[in-house]
Amino acid sequence: MKIALIAHDKKKPEMVNFAIAYQDILKAHELYATGTTGKKVNAATGLTIHCFQSGPLGGDQQIGAMIASNEMDLVIFLRDPLTAQPHEPDVNALLRLSDVYRIPLATNLASAEILMFALKHGEFHWRDLVSKES
Ligand SMILES: O=C(CO)COP(=O)(O)O
C-alpha cells in the first residue's frame, strides 16, 4: 500500500508521535510525504519515506497527482484548521481529489488511528483490486 503522510506545521509533533506509535505498521508499506513532514518523520523513526516538495512549494499537488493516477492508497493529512495556509487552494485540491477517487483520508489523529487499525487488519485489500483495474 502506498501511504501519504502530511502535516501542517502545528500538527507536525502530532504526526511524529503518530509515526513513532505506528511505525511497526507503517514500515510494511511504501511511504510518501510532503518535504518537511517526511524529513521530521524519517529523523524520528528511521522509516524510509519518499519526500516530495514542501507543501507550500507544490508537495500537496505532487501527492494529488499520484491520487489522480491511482497510485496512492491512503492519505494521513493532519491539517491545522486554525491557521490560514498560503497554499490553501493546493490543500483543497488534494482533499477534493481524495474524494473524487475515493481514497481513504484522515485529517485528524483520531481518524488516522482508526485507519491504522483497519490497515493492520487487512481492511484495505480492496485497493489492490482497484489498483489492478487501472
Ligand atoms: O503544508 C503542508 C501540507 O499542506 C505540509 O508541507 P510540509 O510537510 O513540507 O511542511
Side-chain angles (χ1 to χ4, degrees), residues 43-60:
T45 62
L47 287 166
T48 301
I49 306 172
H50 176 92
C51 294
F52 285 119
Q53 298 281 9
S54 181
L57 298 180
D60 301 73

Side-chain angles (χ1 to χ4, degrees), residues 5-9 12 33-40 52-57 59-60 77-79 85-88 90-91 94:
L5 303 175
I6 313 165
H8 284 149
D9 286 351
K12 282 185 173 70
T34 47
T36 319
T37 303
K39 284 189 192 100
K40 284 185 187 288
F52 285 119
Q53 298 281 9
S54 181
L57 298 180
D60 301 73
F77 188 171
L78 300 184
R79 295 171 63 216
Q85 304 293 328
H87 57 303
E88 204 69 56
D90 295 14
V91 172
L94 176 52

Side-chain angles (χ1 to χ4, degrees), residues 14-59:
E14 223 170 78
M15 176 61 90
V16 166
N17 287 335
F18 170 81
I20 291 170
Y22 292 99
Q23 59 184 313
D24 279 351
I25 298 174
L26 292 171
K27 73 181 179 200
H29 299 278
E30 238 176 282
L31 303 178
Y32 296 81
T34 47
T36 319
T37 303
K39 284 189 192 100
K40 284 185 187 288
V41 170
N42 170 265
T45 62
L47 287 166
T48 301
I49 306 172
H50 176 92
C51 294
F52 285 119
Q53 298 281 9
S54 181
L57 298 180

